[in-house]
């Protein structure tokens, strides 16, 4: 493993956790809200997008619902499935989360050109897709 990536991830997690704690949020909750913002989606879709098991997603969604940040509604096309969407409070919290991540990006991308930022994001996205695909083919979802 690239030791620099490990350093980056630990620093990122520390920063994000500290900032989200100010709003009573957990790190995973802060990663889920931006995914829900664009459309109603099921917990299964969230689990697939995050590459996390159903149980972990279910616990996080329950916490978000208790905090009044997400709403569940029955899917009219599949009545056994519930779809998630952001509540008004969730939309407001999302603004705070986006600001936290924007500030972190500004810290990390100091001295980078826009082209370098875009290139890095493309590389990381492709690496994540490769890793997730490998894991799906060879052993299920990641747990972290």
């Amino acid at each position: 493993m690239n030791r620099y990536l490990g350093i980056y991830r630990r620093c990122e997690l520390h920063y994000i956790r500290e900032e989200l704690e100010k709003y009573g949020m957990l790190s995973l909750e802060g990663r889920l809200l931006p995914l829900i913002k664009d459309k109603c989606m099921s917990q299964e879709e969230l689990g697939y997008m995050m590459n996390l098991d159903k149980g972990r997603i279910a616990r996080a969604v329950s916490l978000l619902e208790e905090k009044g940040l997400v709403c569940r509604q029955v899917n009219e096309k599949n009545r056994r499935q519930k779809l998630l969407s952001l509540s008004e409070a969730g939309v407001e919290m999302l603004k705070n989360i986006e600001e936290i991540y924007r500030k972190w990006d500004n810290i990390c991308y100091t001295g980078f050109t826009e082209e370098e930022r875009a290139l890095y994001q493309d590389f990381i996205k492709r690496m994540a897709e490769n890793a997730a695909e490998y894991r799906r083919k060879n052993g299920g979802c990641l747990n972290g």
Side-chain angles (χ1 to χ4, degrees):
M1 175 180 198
N2 184 323
R3 71 182 174 113
Y4 298 112
L5 185 56
I7 292 168
Y8 169 81
R9 288 293 298 148
R10 285 188 299 278
C11 292
E12 177 186 46
L13 286 172
H14 179 76
Y15 178 86
I16 299 302
R17 280 184 189 137
E18 276 192 347
E19 294 300 311
L20 287 174
E21 278 180 8
K22 296 174 184 175
Y23 299 99
M25 298 280 295
L26 300 173
S27 179
L28 178 57
E29 295 170 342
R31 293 189 334 248
L32 292 178
L33 285 186
L35 297 176
I36 299 170
K37 80 171 185 175
D38 294 326
K39 64 174 186 158
C40 289
M41 65 173 46
S42 69
Q43 287 182 197
E44 292 80 16
E45 288 175 291
L46 269 181
Y48 182 80
M49 291 174 76
M50 293 291 297
N51 203 22
L52 292 171
D53 65 80
K54 291 179 185 181
R56 187 138 184 232
I57 293 293
R59 287 187 298 276
V61 168
S62 290
L63 288 172
L64 289 171
E65 190 174 32
E66 287 174 21
K67 293 175 182 179
L69 301 175
V70 297
C71 304
R72 295 186 210 217
Q73 58 196 50
V74 174
N75 182 350
E76 294 301 322
K77 296 177 184 173
N78 177 355
R79 300 200 58 79
R80 292 179 291 158
Q81 183 181 58
K82 296 209 174 141
L83 298 176
L84 305 168
S85 60
L86 294 183
S87 66
E88 286 183 34
V91 171
E92 289 304 310
M93 181 60 71
L94 181 61
K95 292 175 186 174
N96 297 323
I97 292 168
E98 288 172 338
E99 180 64 13
I100 290 168
Y101 279 100
R102 188 190 62 70
K103 286 179 179 178
W104 177 249
D105 280 350
N106 287 339
I107 291 166
C108 293
Y109 286 120
T110 299
F112 285 74
T113 66
E114 287 301 316
E115 183 181 354
E116 289 170 328
R117 287 175 82 147
L119 195 56
Y120 173 77
Q121 286 297 319
D122 183 56
F123 289 157
I124 291 295
K125 178 183 176 198
R126 288 168 42 200
M127 289 170 62
E129 289 168 350
N130 290 342
E133 182 63 24
Y134 172 82
R135 188 63 188 247
R136 281 187 202 97
K137 288 180 179 176
N138 297 287
C141 291
L142 297 173
N143 289 316

